Amino acid sequence: MSVTVGVLALQGAFSEHLQLFKVAANQVESHHEGSAKKYWTFIEVRTQKELSSCDALVIPGGESTAISLVAQRCNMLEPLRDFVKVLRKPTWGTCAGLILLAESANRTKQGGQELIGGLDVRVNRNHFGRQIESFQADLDLPFLNEVTPDLVPFKAIFIRAPIVEKLLPTVDGEQQGEASITGTVIAPSLQIDKSVAKAVHLHDVEVMGILPGRTKKVKNDLGSELDDEAGDIVAVRQANVFGTSFHPELTNDPRLHIWWLQQVDAAVDSR
Amino acid sequence: MSTALPNTNGSAQNGTQESNFTMKSGLARMLKGGVIMDVVNAEQARIAEEAGAVAVMALERVPADIRAEGGVSRMSDPKMIREIMKTVTIPVMAKARIGHFVECQILEAIGVDYIDESEVLTPADHAHHVEKHNFSVPFVCGCRNLGEALRRISEGAAMIRTKGEAGTGDVVEAVRHMRTVTAEIKRTGGMTDMELRVLAKDIQAPFELLKETARLGRLPVVNFAAGGVATPADAALMMQLGCDGVFVGSGIFKSGDAAKRAKAIVQAVAHYDDAKVLAEVSEDLGEAMVGLNVSMMDSKDKMQGRGW
């Protein structure tokens, strides 16, 4: 069967994702057995029509304010929210994409910015500071075991990167608690489509990747084992919405792209 | 553009420099498909940010005014740059004079996100450009042709822009420079190493970078258009000619309705291939910047010849 993966191409590093997906797609096929063979198509998404042809979507790195304003002005914001929150199709955001997929964000521009939402987290924009604070770090991502057993650390590139500074409780409706904090913006709430709800289990946010020891700013109200020493959360997943604060699309390492396509593969099969 | 872009810039000696260049060129990639706008104060920076600019270029006078007023044009007052950095959350760039490495040190100390070693300011060195590798802040530089682009990259530039002819509102020179670079890269396509060595000598470019360019079929770093873009159609023209994004200098804040024109140019760059969108956003923008016809200008009045 054919599966179409879109990369939002309103601004940012979308061609980098497309190129890495083309490499990754070959390796997904060789790793996956027992489900229908997938024929992957990768497209740039700029319009509602292109979005509606997609089974899964990537929101790339770029400037989140610019992507959000451009999306708003070409009437893409609501269709994107539908895609992520009502239809709950698999979506992955990197850096700016993570910001847009968060239910809550701070340190946004004056007057705030529009978010798509989908992940019950609060992100802190430009967490590490300006460009001269950008860095590269080796990251242990245990779930990449599913792709290759040799656990070589992932070279994660952080450019004016955000982090997840707080995991939020899953609530019915908007994150009202977050809305009351000065300087924090939230995404509007949307109900999941009933016919989709059976296939997609909405649970709490899972922490998928942590950058150890750079700062001690993580707050966690959910009582999990994270503490102040834990480091910064740089990869999260909630149901089939995935976010990373770093840029795998700037590397030649396709493991994250392969892993995510395997998640898409499974999601498509379960519908 | 290829994810397999070189991380070393042809002259990295060690791992640190390699990873530095990944960060430097990486930020430029995040700006692709976007518009970078010249602003002279915090208020204009806010207008640019609200319009959807991916970054702002902080400078004291836009090129059109530099042209009109004359005199020596230098790096902006750090206080003004800081104010702009405090006001907006998008990256802030600033210009330094060609060869003036101390202005660059100052801009790095302030913490700007990108330095433009720019021909729009009065050059400070008759022969040397700034050695850009040693800075941790990334640099963008202008070019008129492939040789000039590769010389700048070899010095450490992590991003290139066409020079165009700044402050004129006439896009002809930006088009000329982009077409020149594209044509020169196309010619390298079928060349053997032996032929590339001769070409490298002719255009005064490092062989390794030229070979990389031939392999990629494009410049090995992000390449924006600049110098004379005044309308959404100009911006889309440069995108269709293969630029990765657009700088707009005097074109926005020297026009009748800056906020509206800025928004229109941002939409035009995002949807550069969709003539219907371009028609919509081009409507009713008010007065464009007055403009100077480059073909009527004296060569001594042109800024593009600065830089070596």
Side-chain angles (χ1 to χ4, degrees):
Chain A
M1 70 189 288
S2 110
V3 181
T4 302
V5 175
V7 180
L8 191 65
L10 296 175
Q11 192 272 315
F14 48 87
S15 63
E16 282 79 355
H17 271 294
L18 288 163
Q19 287 175 63
L20 211 46
F21 272 128
K22 281 169 195 158
V23 175
N26 295 322
Q27 300 181 46
V28 175
E29 282 163 355
S30 65
H31 273 87
H32 199 79
E33 284 171 34
S35 78
K37 184 169 166 59
K38 305 294 190 301
Y39 296 94
W40 300 96
T41 310
F42 301 100
I43 63 166
E44 293 179 4
V45 173
R46 289 187 179 82
T47 64
Q48 216 168 319
K49 197 171 158 223
E50 286 160 346
L51 181 63
S52 61
S53 74
C54 293
D55 299 296
L57 181 73
V58 169
I59 304 178
E63 273 305 313
S64 70
T65 51
I67 296 175
S68 149
L69 286 166
V70 171
Q72 202 179 342
R73 288 183 194 132
C74 60
N75 302 316
M76 281 292 281
L77 207 49
E78 289 312 320
L80 283 166
R81 285 179 178 142
D82 273 0
F83 188 93
V84 179
K85 298 168 85 164
V86 178
L87 302 173
R88 277 273 160 188
K89 292 192 183 177
T91 308
W92 173 17
T94 59
C95 195
L98 167 67
I99 296 169
L100 293 168
L101 290 174
E103 287 290 334
S104 168
N106 59 24
R107 298 180 66 189
T108 59
K109 70 173 174 65
Q110 288 175 28
Q113 75 176 74
E114 292 286 339
L115 301 175
I116 294 166
L119 290 167
D120 284 311
V121 298
R122 184 204 299 152
V123 294
N124 188 30
R125 285 184 73 220
N126 298 341
H127 173 79
F128 301 100
R130 307 197 69 93
Q131 170 62 13
I132 41 177
E133 313 294 334
S134 293
F135 62 97
Q136 193 168 312
D138 285 344
L139 217 56
D140 283 324
L141 299 173
F143 61 93
L144 287 183
N145 257 339
E146 297 167 30
V147 178
T148 45
D150 57 315
L151 201 58
V152 182
F154 195 89
K155 242 188 202 351
I157 299 171
F158 295 85
I159 295 177
R160 289 171 50 95
I163 60 148
V164 170
E165 69 165 10
K166 190 175 178 193
L167 305 180
L168 304 172
T170 309
V171 292
D172 256 350
E174 286 176 349
Q175 291 284 359
Q176 292 295 351
E178 290 295 297
S180 62
I181 305 170
T182 318
T184 298
V185 297
I186 62 165
S189 162
L190 288 171
Q191 284 300 312
I192 185 169
D193 184 282
K194 290 220 166 51
S195 63
V196 174
K198 286 170 221 140
V200 178
H201 179 57
L202 292 177
H203 43 67
D204 286 341
V205 178
E206 298 165 74
V207 174
M208 304 291 281
I210 285 176
L211 179 70
R214 284 194 77 95
T215 61
K216 296 170 182 171
K217 285 188 179 172
V218 180
K219 295 173 203 133
N220 184 325
D221 286 353
L222 298 182
S224 68
E225 66 273 31
L226 281 172
D227 57 32
D228 287 349
E229 302 291 310
D232 294 321
I233 301 174
V234 293
V236 288
R237 172 170 71 174
Q238 186 171 26
N240 52 14
V241 184
F242 179 53
T244 53
S245 66
F246 51 95
H247 294 284
E249 75 274 22
L250 291 187
T251 69
N252 295 322
D253 186 344
R255 283 180 296 163
L256 259 171
H257 287 75
I258 297 169
W259 175 82
W260 186 71
L261 286 181
Q262 284 170 357
Q263 314 304 304
V264 173
D265 186 324
V268 169
D269 280 344
S270 71
R271 293 212 171 188
Chain B
M1 93 190 285
S2 170
T3 52
L5 293 192
N7 291 329
T8 58
N9 206 7
S11 69
Q13 303 299 314
N14 56 51
T16 320
Q17 207 163 48
E18 178 178 330
S19 87
N20 271 347
F21 197 71
T22 306
M23 301 310 127
K24 290 173 173 178
S25 59
L27 177 58
R29 290 180 180 206
M30 295 307 136
L31 304 176
K32 285 194 303 174
V35 182
I36 300 170
M37 302 180 190
D38 278 4
V39 298
V40 300
N41 55 41
E43 185 197 346
Q44 289 188 353
R46 278 290 296 138
I47 293 173
E49 185 177 48
E50 274 317 311
V54 289
V56 290
M57 176 75 70
L59 72 177
E60 241 151 38
R61 295 181 289 173
V62 293
D65 289 337
I66 293 175
R67 203 175 271 294
E69 292 161 18
V72 175
S73 202
R74 313 178 178 91
M75 176 190 80
S76 301
D77 184 342
K79 186 177 168 201
M80 178 273 267
I81 300 171
R82 272 187 217 272
E83 268 167 22
I84 290 174
M85 288 166 57
K86 258 189 283 176
T87 307
V88 296
T89 65
I90 53 179
V92 176
M93 302 183 166
K95 286 184 195 289
R97 283 180 269 176
I98 289 174
H100 204 315
F101 50 85
V102 174
E103 283 187 351
C104 299
Q105 291 164 6
I106 292 170
L107 291 174
E108 182 173 59
I110 301 171
V112 300
D113 297 292
Y114 241 95
I115 295 176
D116 184 0
E117 187 185 14
S118 177
E119 71 282 0
V120 167
L121 306 185
T122 312
D125 192 308
H126 74 288
H128 307 90
H129 279 255
V130 173
E131 191 58 30
K132 295 168 267 284
H133 283 292
N134 301 329
F135 286 87
S136 51
V137 60
F139 280 76
V140 54
C141 289
C143 80
R144 287 163 300 173
N145 52 52
L146 181 58
E148 199 172 8
L150 296 182
R151 284 197 294 281
R152 297 295 87 81
I153 297 169
S154 144
E155 293 155 3
M159 179 179 182
I160 290 292
R161 55 174 174 75
T162 62
K163 282 183 170 173
E165 192 52 51
T168 60
D170 188 346
V171 80
V172 66
E173 293 302 297
V175 170
R176 184 198 310 278
H177 300 156
M178 186 57 197
R179 282 206 184 272
T180 304
V181 170
T182 308
E184 287 177 302
I185 293 175
K186 213 174 236 173
R187 269 203 301 276
T188 64
M191 285 190 179
T192 61
D193 279 9
M194 213 188 276
E195 291 165 323
L196 285 172
R197 280 189 200 283
V198 176
L199 181 63
K201 199 171 63 182
D202 287 348
I203 65 173
Q204 299 171 50
F207 168 72
E208 291 301 332
L209 276 176
L210 182 62
K211 192 176 171 183
E212 192 60 31
T213 304
R215 185 181 72 79
L216 295 166
R218 58 154 296 149
L219 285 180
V221 299
V222 165
N223 179 25
F224 269 45
V229 175
T231 67
D234 288 349
L237 172 68
M238 297 312 298
M239 293 298 288
Q240 288 195 26
L241 286 173
C243 289
D244 294 314
V246 176
F247 281 91
V248 188
S250 322
I252 289 171
F253 290 100
K254 285 284 156 189
S255 73
D257 187 342
K260 195 168 180 189
R261 182 167 296 265
K263 282 181 200 171
I265 292 177
V266 168
Q267 292 306 117
V269 168
H271 297 277
Y272 67 91
D273 235 351
D274 188 335
K276 272 192 192 146
V277 174
L278 298 178
E280 256 169 56
V281 301
S282 299
E283 244 177 56
D284 202 20
L285 292 180
E287 202 86 15
M289 71 177 284
V290 178
L292 279 172
N293 198 322
V294 176
S295 62
M296 311 293 271
M297 284 168 69
D298 252 4
S299 62
K300 69 169 170 42
D301 293 329
K302 293 183 186 171
M303 293 169 171
Q304 57 177 274
R306 302 163 169 181
W308 353 101

